[in-house]
Every structure is written in C-alpha cells, then in structure tokens.
Amino acid sequence: MTNPFGRTMVLLVLGLWGWGLHLWGEDFPYGELNPEIPRDYQPLLQGPTPAEADEQAAERFYVRGRSEELSGHFSEAIRSYQRAWRLSPSESILFNIVSLTVREKRGEEMARYFSKVVHAQKLEVLTLRNVGLTLTLQNEIPEAIRAYEATLAGISAESFPALRVLLRHELGRLYYLEGDYPQAIFCFEFVRRALRTPRRFELDEEMVRNLREDESLLLYLLTDSYLMEGDAEKASEALREAVESEKSQMTQGKEGGFHVSQTPEEIEVRANFYRARIAAKSEQWEEGKIFLEKAFGEKIRGEGAAPYELYRDILAALGKSRELRQSLETWYEKDPENADLGYFLADVCLKEEKYDRAEELLEDWTSSQPTTESYTSLLELTVRENSPERFLHSVYKILSQQETEGSVHAAWKGVQERFAEENREEDGERFLREVFAFSRKHYPRTEPLPWQFFWSLAWVATEVGEEEAAEEFYQAAENQLKTPFSEQNRPGILFFVERGSTLLLAERWDEAESLFQTGMQVVEKPEERGLLAFYLSNGRAMKKDFEGARKVVEQGLKEDKESILLAKQLGWIAYLSGDLEGAAQTYEKILKQYGEQYTLPHLREELREVRLTLSAVEAYRQHFAQAEELLEEVLDEFPDDVGAKNDLAYLWATQSKNLHRAIRMAEEAVAEEAENHAYWDTLGWIQYLRGDFEAARTSLERSLEWDADPVVYRHLMEVYEVLGNPEKGVEMGEKSLATFQEYREKGHLVDEKEETWVRERLQSLRKKKMANPGSAGSE
C-alpha cells in the first residue's frame, strides 16, 4: 500500500500556497495555476484514482486494526483487517486475520481465510500449528496438512527437534487419512526413531510418555501403510512392534491401541487379521487362510466386512470359492452376534440366489442394526425374488425405522447402481411399476393399515410418476395419523416436515396447515413442536394470514425459547406484512443477542441470513449506509458469499459510487452462479452506469431468460433509450409496469417510487417515439 502521509504533505503545502495568494489579493484561477504546478503534482489536484482511494482506505483500516489489536479488542481488530484485505488483498493482512481468528477460536472463519494464504510458512510457527489443530478438528484434512507442512518448513532441521517430532506425529495420521501412504510412512518412521533415541530429539520424559501412550496406534497405522504400499516384510516388523506395544500398555494398566482393547485375546485376534493380510500380500494364501480362521474362531470385531472380503479373495486364489458360503455359515453359527459377518453372509446368499436365507439374515439385522447398505440389500432381495408384496413390506420397514423418505431413496439408488453393474437398469424400473400395479390392486385407501404403510405406497407411486395415486396414499397416511395409535407406532417429526414442505411448495396451504397442526399434537419434544410451528407459520404467511403466522411463532417460542430459527421467523413475517420497522427491530435484536457468539453450531450461518435479510429491509427503507454495513459484515466473515457481493454491488450502483469495486463483485457473482437472473441484472446495470451500453443490454436480456422482473425491464428501458431505440424502450417500460402489477397481485412488496418513476419515464419515451417514428436504434 502507498504511504498516504507524503501525499498529504504535498497537498497541505499547495493548499497553504494558494491561501497565501488569496490573502495577497492576487487572482487565483484554476486554469492559470495548472501550468505552474510540476507535472508530477497535477494529478493530486484532481484527487486520487479509485484504486488509489482503495489503497488509502485499506491503510486506514489496517492502522485501525493494529491499534485495536494492541488494545486487546480482538473482534474489532479482525473486522478492520478483513475490511483492509478486501480493499487491498495482501498476505500480510491475511496472516493477521488467521492469527486472530485462531486466537478467538473462530475456526470456520479462520479456515475461509487460511485457504487464501499462498505462502503459509511465513505465519508464525505456533499460529500455524494451532491452525493445523483447528482444521483437523473441523475435518478439513487437506488444509490441515498444508498448515502442518508450512509449520515444518518454517523450522530449520537443527532447531526445535521435539516440535518436529510432534508435527510429524500429527502429519502422519493426516497423510494416512488422505491415502498418501509414502508420506505417512516417512512421518511414522520419524516418530519411531525419535522414541528409540529421545535425547537426540530433545524429548523430555512427559513428551516420551505421551507419545508412548499413542505408540501402538502409530505402529498399526504404519503396518497398514506398508501393506498399502506392498511391503509385506516391513509391515510384518511394524505389526510385531505394535502388538508388543499394546500388550505392554495393557500390562501397565493403560488403555490404548488401534482400538481400545480389553484383553490380550482381543489383541491377538486383531494381530491374526493383520498377519492374514500380510500373508495375502505375499501370496501365501494357505497361511493367510489359517490366520483368518483363527481370528474368526476368536470372534473378531471392529474391522467391518474387511476380514470376510479377504477370506473370499483367499479362497478364490486357492480355487475354493465354492466353500465360501458354507464356511461363513460355520463361523456365523459359532458367532451369531456378529453383525458384520451376518450382513456379509446375507450378500453372499443373495448372489448365490439363496433368497430365503438372505431374507432371514437381513430381516434380523435390519431390525437391530440397520445400515443404508443393509436396506439396499433388503430391497434388492425382493426385486430378485420378483416379490412386489415383500418389496412394499421392506419399504414399510425402512420408513418405520427411519421415518424419512431419504432412507428409502438412498437404498433404492443403491439397488439401481447394483443393477447397472449388471446392465439391468430397466429391470428395476419395470419391477417398480409392477409394485405400483400390485399396490393399486391389493391396498385400497380405506384399509386400516399403519400410516407408514400408506407412506410406502405413496413413495412407490411417486417414483413411477403416478402423482394422483400418490396423493391418495399420502392422504390415507394423514388420515391414519389422526386416529389413535400405540406408543410403538407414534409418528415422528420427519414425516410431517417432508410431507408438509411438499404441500407448501405446491401452494396447498390449508392441507399443509392441517398436517402441521396434527404434528404439533403428536410429536413429544418441545424443539420438534417449535420446528413444526416454524413450518406452520410459513404456510399462514403465504396465505397472507400474518397475524395468525405471528401467533404460531410466539407459541413455538414458548416451546423452544432459544430457537433462533423462530426468532428469525418473526422478522420475516413482519417483512412480508410490510412492517419494515418491526422486521428491522426483530433482526437487530437477534444480532445484538447472538452477534458475538461463535460456539453454537450453525449459529453463524443463521446470523449470515439475518444480516442479508435485514440489509434488504434497510435498502428498501433507503437506509443505504446501514444496508451496506450489514453486507460488509457478511463479507467480513464469509468473504466468498456471492449473494452479499451481488447485493453490495447493486447498492453501490443505485448510488452511483464505488463502481470499480461493484463491477468486480458483479462479475464474480455471475461467474459463480450464471443462472441467477438477479446477478445478471446487477452486472448489466453497473455496465450501463459505466457507459458500456451494449454489454449492459446483453447482460440484462440474459437476466430475463430466467425470470421476468419489473426492475430488469426498467433497466432495459433506459439502456434502449440511450442506444437510440425509443420503440424498444417503450416496450420494456410497458412490460415493467405490467410485471409490477403481477407482483402486487401475488402479494409481493412493490417499490411504488420505482413504479411511479417508470410510469413517468414511459410517458417521455412515448413522446420521443412519436417524434421519431421508425427509429430502430441498436438491436
């Protein structure tokens, strides 16, 4: 950034000189002064360029941020640095933002800015390590790796050896999670060497003790990494040390290891599984089979389907694949509580068309330990059996356990993927139509079935495009919900939310309201009743029953007093009803109450929406400064928020200021969301204000490809006028007024000043058109 103080001094000298001339009574015409001023100083009289003004403003924000940081006002300092960075991006400012957001435990915000850092190793070592820890906790693994790598890059090979050990220890796990096994091996071996020679690495007793407690995990991960790289010999060596380490920990009464082991037998079971993997990697199939069978006999747990997949591969390599199912049955008979084995055996039976046995296993395990994969297998079984009735009962079972259509959709998608692998996609679609025909024939809507069963029928009807039948089944489910039910058949909230949302989107307000009211009487948890109150209020607001909507929200807040969702809803209802003052007060209250809280999950996203909506309210009230500040606050915390960029660019455009910034933001918005008509309108209007009329016309017409908007038509009216085509301008003005009327009839807020302006401008254009008949202008 440029130094503003030198420029200020020059201007001060020139100003005093001019004031002295005035006192002496000499003429001081500006035009006569210019030739006397050195060429380098003449631009100063015209003021800074927009880019220079941004640099100066950025410097002021940066200086303010430093002052606030030194005073211990860290939140204010973060905001000042963020403003400075937006005006004049630099890594030095990013470093300040990252450091302070880490200090203030604002991890998600930190991650957004750290992702923009290029030379991360220039950050302080302690800050970088804390960045890595924070990103790891947020499961941002690639960025965490970058932070740790940068930390190591900032430490010389001779300095801080103990810190390098800790960093390699943390990095090794991250590399492993990312599947970068060579790097994981390097890190694990580095820590392994350090534990063998702790003095060389300046590890004190406490550090050694802490690393020893985690040693068996490290060694198991090292074993796995060597296996993934195909080095069976080194994997075997690491495994031997892992087992010794875990047994040593257990002898000392400590819990540790790859899994928390309770007995030496459990350690040996897992070790045999790893030995089998090592043997298989060396193609020692018989040895691998022996080790695996030992693990099965000792009731292996915690490894998922991997041991049984390995057993299948070993038998295939030995030419004994036919023995697989019977062998698994033998082990399952000895270990009937093993869900992983039970599911794997069910899939084997399914592939071998042993459907009765597969169904028996799947029914047992989906009742006690359901998974998406098990639901997929359950549905696949009924398709392969060509049994519509069993299919419906399976869908019913899923909905009874999960109470969400999403689980059925996920399971059915899994079936389709399995059929696609066999080039049998059409079989699944054909079968679903058979299920629909079966349901229409055998399950009339009046039959006293559980509500989930009717929901199952509705799901099938929807999947095959039979919307009318789906509605009948949904209605039957809703009717059943209004009748007495047992506690075991008590419906949960998900049905009401999913079905009610569908009705709202279809503008079936009364039906949605009835369903949500039923749900509020049925569900037990206060927060769930509060959520249904939110949806119910939406329905009432859409019907223009704003008072009824407000009462529902207030009732919901009695159930769930801390719900920011419901608090926001009060503001939204006030906004829709035209009570802009009430909406603003509600949103301001929320920001005052929660604005500085950063620990509650999802709170910052909720506050982002509050600021965006409040900004729209303030802009509508023509409180532009407040509206701009709110959008700036959104961009402080969410620098890539495309909606905030668009809205701020448009606010600046309406005031014909900061157009050099506005055009950049608008271009970023359309690049991010090319099908958002509002973003194209913003870009087109800024292009018009900057004098690029043809580009403006193209952008505004593109905006209309997605939606008719009275303001876009108004903008095009002005563009066509300046292009010398009053006829087209009149057409756009008339469409603008017609669309304003459509908005009013739909209950949307209409800017009457804008509408009046269009009407008056249209009259002027009509006169111009009559004065210049046949004018075509630029098309």
Side-chain angles (χ1 to χ4, degrees):
M1 290 182 287
T2 58
N3 184 345
F5 302 109
R7 181 186 304 279
T8 303
M9 186 58 70
V10 170
L11 289 173
L12 179 60
V13 171
L14 291 173
L16 290 174
W17 177 51
W19 182 244
L21 290 177
H22 174 71
L23 288 176
W24 291 334
E26 296 187 21
D27 292 332
F28 191 53
Y30 184 79
E32 293 181 12
L33 177 65
N34 278 346
E36 305 300 327
I37 301 174
R39 182 183 303 273
D40 291 345
Y41 293 158
Q42 287 193 31
L44 299 177
L45 295 175
Q46 301 169 11
T49 66
E52 290 170 338
D54 285 354
E55 287 280 345
Q56 293 171 14
E59 189 149 353
R60 288 193 294 274
F61 275 120
Y62 182 80
V63 170
R64 182 191 302 171
R66 287 293 296 160
S67 175
E68 290 163 337
E69 183 178 356
L70 292 172
S71 301
H73 302 145
F74 300 116
S75 290
E76 293 85 347
I78 290 170
R79 177 149 290 164
S80 294
Y81 288 141
Q82 290 167 334
R83 303 281 171 98
W85 179 80
R86 275 208 304 286
L87 288 165
S88 181
S90 74
E91 286 218 313
S92 62
I93 302 176
L94 278 177
F95 294 161
N96 289 354
I97 296 170
V98 169
S99 299
L100 286 182
T101 47
V102 169
R103 185 194 184 285
E104 293 297 285
K105 295 182 172 58
R106 290 157 61 164
E108 293 179 358
E109 192 174 352
M110 178 278 293
R112 297 181 198 110
Y113 281 95
F114 182 73
S115 67
K116 302 177 185 302
V117 172
V118 177
H119 303 99
Q121 68 270 20
K122 293 183 180 179
L123 279 162
E124 293 180 1
V125 167
L126 182 58
T127 297
L128 265 173
R129 190 183 175 215
N130 287 336
V131 168
L133 286 169
T134 303
L135 290 168
T136 302
L137 290 173
Q138 293 177 196
N139 205 31
E140 298 279 354
I141 304 304
E143 284 294 280
I145 288 174
R146 191 163 77 93
Y148 282 124
E149 288 176 337
T151 310
L152 281 166
I155 305 173
S156 67
E158 298 77 22
S159 61
F160 304 108
L163 178 58
R164 286 189 290 120
V165 173
L166 294 177
L167 291 170
R168 291 292 182 194
H169 183 261
E170 292 162 2
L171 254 177
R173 301 190 199 194
L174 298 177
Y175 284 132
Y176 178 85
L177 289 172
E178 282 295 286
D180 189 346
Y181 300 112
Q183 286 283 16
I185 289 170
F186 175 80
C187 289
F188 293 144
E189 289 288 11
F190 188 94
V191 178
R192 195 180 182 194
R193 287 198 306 275
L195 284 171
R196 288 172 177 168
T197 56
R199 289 185 179 179
R200 177 185 170 191
F201 290 88
E202 299 180 8
L203 298 177
D204 59 31
E205 290 184 8
E206 183 178 357
M207 294 177 71
V208 171
R209 185 167 57 252
N210 290 336
L211 289 171
R212 289 287 183 198
E213 288 179 357
D214 214 18
E215 184 181 23
S216 59
L217 169 60
L218 179 148
L219 290 167
Y220 276 116
L221 293 177
L222 181 60
T223 302
D224 210 39
S225 298
Y226 274 128
L227 274 171
M228 299 305 292
E229 287 298 295
D231 193 333
E233 182 177 349
K234 289 187 176 179
S236 183
E237 180 187 347
L239 175 63
R240 178 182 53 77
E241 290 190 27
V243 172
E244 290 176 358
S245 173
E246 195 164 25
K247 286 182 177 179
S248 173
Q249 285 179 303
M250 185 160 291
T251 301
Q252 298 171 33
K254 299 175 182 177
E255 290 185 346
F258 196 34
H259 303 285
V260 178
S261 300
Q262 303 299 326
T263 64
E265 289 75 19
E266 289 180 4
I267 297 176
E268 194 62 23
V269 170
R270 183 169 58 257
N272 280 327
F273 171 49
Y274 273 82
R275 289 168 186 143
R277 291 179 63 197
I278 293 169
K281 187 66 69 173
S282 304
E283 297 187 359
Q284 297 174 3
W285 307 114
E286 285 289 356
E287 185 177 350
K289 180 172 178 287
I290 292 170
F291 280 129
L292 262 186
E293 289 175 345
K294 284 183 179 180
F296 294 162
E298 295 158 346
K299 300 184 179 180
I300 189 169
R301 291 288 190 279
E303 302 293 346
Y308 313 109
E309 291 170 350
L310 178 61
Y311 193 61
R312 175 196 61 202
D313 296 342
I314 288 174
L315 289 180
L318 292 171
K320 299 179 179 180
S321 293
R322 292 184 179 181
E323 298 179 13
L324 176 62
R325 182 174 58 81
Q326 191 53 55
S327 296
L328 292 175
E329 288 281 13
T330 299
W331 299 121
Y332 186 68
E333 185 178 347
K334 296 177 180 179
D335 190 9
E337 303 301 316
N338 190 331
D340 294 325
L341 175 54
Y343 277 133
F344 190 82
L345 176 57
D347 276 339
V348 170
C349 292
L350 193 58
K351 288 180 175 61
E352 294 187 6
E353 299 184 0
K354 304 295 182 181
Y355 296 138
D356 289 343
R357 179 58 174 153
E359 182 178 14
E360 179 185 357
L361 291 163
L362 289 171
E363 286 288 347
D364 286 345
W365 286 110
T366 53
S367 296
S368 57
Q369 296 184 37
T371 65
T372 299
E373 291 74 16
S374 69
Y375 288 145
T376 294
S377 296
L378 196 61
L379 294 184
E380 180 188 1
L381 170 65
T382 63
V383 177
R384 293 189 183 278
E385 283 187 304
N386 195 32
S387 175
E389 185 172 12
R390 284 188 176 181
F391 180 87
L392 283 171
H393 280 275
S394 296
V395 173
Y396 162 66
K397 182 184 185 71
I398 297 171
L399 289 174
S400 298
Q401 291 179 327
Q402 301 295 315
E403 288 194 6
T404 170
E405 288 181 349
S407 299
V408 183
H409 282 296
W412 181 244
K413 183 180 179 182
V415 173
Q416 291 174 315
E417 289 172 354
R418 293 183 185 183
F419 273 64
E421 293 173 0
E422 303 174 19
N423 295 317
R424 296 178 53 194
E425 295 95 332
E426 295 180 0
D427 287 3
E429 298 173 9
R430 173 193 53 75
F431 176 75
L432 214 54
R433 287 213 159 267
E434 290 181 11
V435 174
F436 172 71
F438 179 87
S439 67
R440 292 289 283 177
K441 180 178 181 181
H442 294 281
Y443 297 106
R445 266 59 64 203
T446 55
E447 190 172 335
L449 293 168
W451 65 273
Q452 295 101 324
F453 204 94
F454 285 119
W455 194 8
S456 309
L457 304 179
W459 180 85
V460 172
T462 301
E463 285 295 299
V464 298
E466 298 289 347
E467 298 297 335
E468 185 176 342
E471 284 302 316
E472 293 178 14
F473 288 129
Y474 274 124
Q475 190 58 56
E478 292 168 32
N479 291 338
Q480 288 297 99
L481 286 171
K482 296 174 184 178
T483 61
F485 49 81
S486 66
E487 285 300 312
Q488 290 74 23
N489 195 33
R490 176 181 287 275
I493 190 174
L494 290 173
F495 172 80
F496 297 107
V497 170
E498 289 188 0
R499 176 60 179 158
S501 299
T502 302
L503 293 172
L504 287 179
L505 290 173
E507 299 186 0
R508 293 160 60 180
W509 320 126
D510 293 339
E511 295 171 68
E513 179 168 343
S514 174
L515 183 67
F516 289 132
Q517 286 176 328
T518 300
M520 291 177 71
Q521 296 169 5
V522 168
V523 299
E524 294 181 296
K525 297 179 181 178
E527 61 270 23
E528 292 184 344
R529 289 195 292 273
L531 181 59
L532 290 176
F534 166 79
Y535 282 103
L536 177 56
S537 69
N538 270 334
R540 290 189 175 177
M542 291 174 182
K543 290 196 306 179
K544 313 305 177 190
D545 179 10
F546 300 117
E547 181 60 23
R550 185 182 60 79
K551 288 181 179 179
V552 168
V553 173
E554 290 174 347
Q555 179 62 38
L557 283 169
K558 292 179 182 178
E559 297 278 359
D560 190 4
K561 296 179 177 60
E562 299 301 319
S563 172
I564 191 172
L565 183 68
L566 288 171
K568 283 169 45 184
Q569 188 73 347
L570 282 178
W572 181 242
I573 291 166
Y575 174 73
L576 291 177
S577 67
D579 180 11
L580 300 184
E581 179 67 27
Q585 290 178 358
T586 301
Y587 289 133
E588 287 166 358
K589 181 180 178 182
I590 293 171
L591 291 175
K592 184 176 181 180
Q593 182 177 356
Y594 296 103
E596 295 305 314
Q597 294 188 28
Y598 290 87
T599 56
L600 296 177
H602 312 302
L603 176 62
R604 305 313 301 177
E605 294 285 349
E606 297 283 3
L607 293 179
R608 169 166 64 168
E609 292 184 14
V610 168
R611 287 191 170 98
L612 288 171
T613 310
L614 180 54
S615 173
V617 171
E618 297 293 20
Y620 193 87
R621 300 164 76 197
Q622 298 193 339
H623 296 169
F624 296 128
Q626 294 93 318
E628 288 177 34
E629 174 59 24
L630 287 159
L631 293 171
E632 293 274 19
E633 289 173 7
V634 172
L635 289 171
D636 291 340
E637 193 170 350
F638 300 89
D640 298 317
D641 189 298
V642 67
K645 287 181 181 180
N646 172 77
D647 292 355
L648 185 55
Y650 191 77
L651 267 179
W652 283 338
T654 59
Q655 302 167 77
S656 295
K657 72 177 189 181
N658 298 333
L659 295 183
H660 64 294
R661 295 186 215 163
I663 190 73
R664 185 174 64 247
M665 285 185 171
E667 288 170 345
E668 290 172 359
V670 297
E672 185 73 21
E673 294 184 23
E675 295 186 2
N676 190 310
H677 89 280
Y679 296 174
W680 284 104
D681 174 48
T682 298
L683 178 60
W685 187 237
I686 297 170
Q687 289 167 332
Y688 166 80
L689 293 172
R690 287 167 60 91
D692 193 352
F693 304 124
E694 281 295 343
R697 183 184 64 142
T698 300
S699 296
L700 292 168
E701 287 179 344
R702 187 160 186 185
S703 173
L704 292 173
E705 292 177 8
W706 288 286
D707 197 12
D709 188 297
V711 176
V712 180
Y713 284 125
R714 172 248 160 139
H715 289 159
L716 270 171
M717 177 178 70
E718 295 190 59
V719 169
Y720 277 116
E721 180 180 8
V722 80
L723 286 173
N725 190 341
E727 182 177 354
K728 197 72 173 174
V730 167
E731 179 188 339
M732 295 297 105
E734 290 172 344
K735 287 185 176 180
S736 178
L737 291 177
T739 312
F740 270 124
Q741 184 57 34
E742 290 176 11
Y743 271 32
R744 184 175 286 106
E745 291 171 357
K746 292 179 179 179
H748 299 324
L749 285 175
V750 170
D751 189 332
E752 295 182 357
K753 291 182 179 179
E754 181 91 356
E755 186 180 22
T756 300
W757 188 95
V758 172
R759 186 172 286 107
E760 292 174 353
R761 194 66 181 169
L762 186 56
Q763 291 177 354
S764 173
L765 265 179
R766 284 171 176 152
K767 292 177 182 177
K768 187 180 291 188
K769 174 184 174 184
M770 292 176 65
N772 299 279
S775 173
S778 175
E779 289 291 346

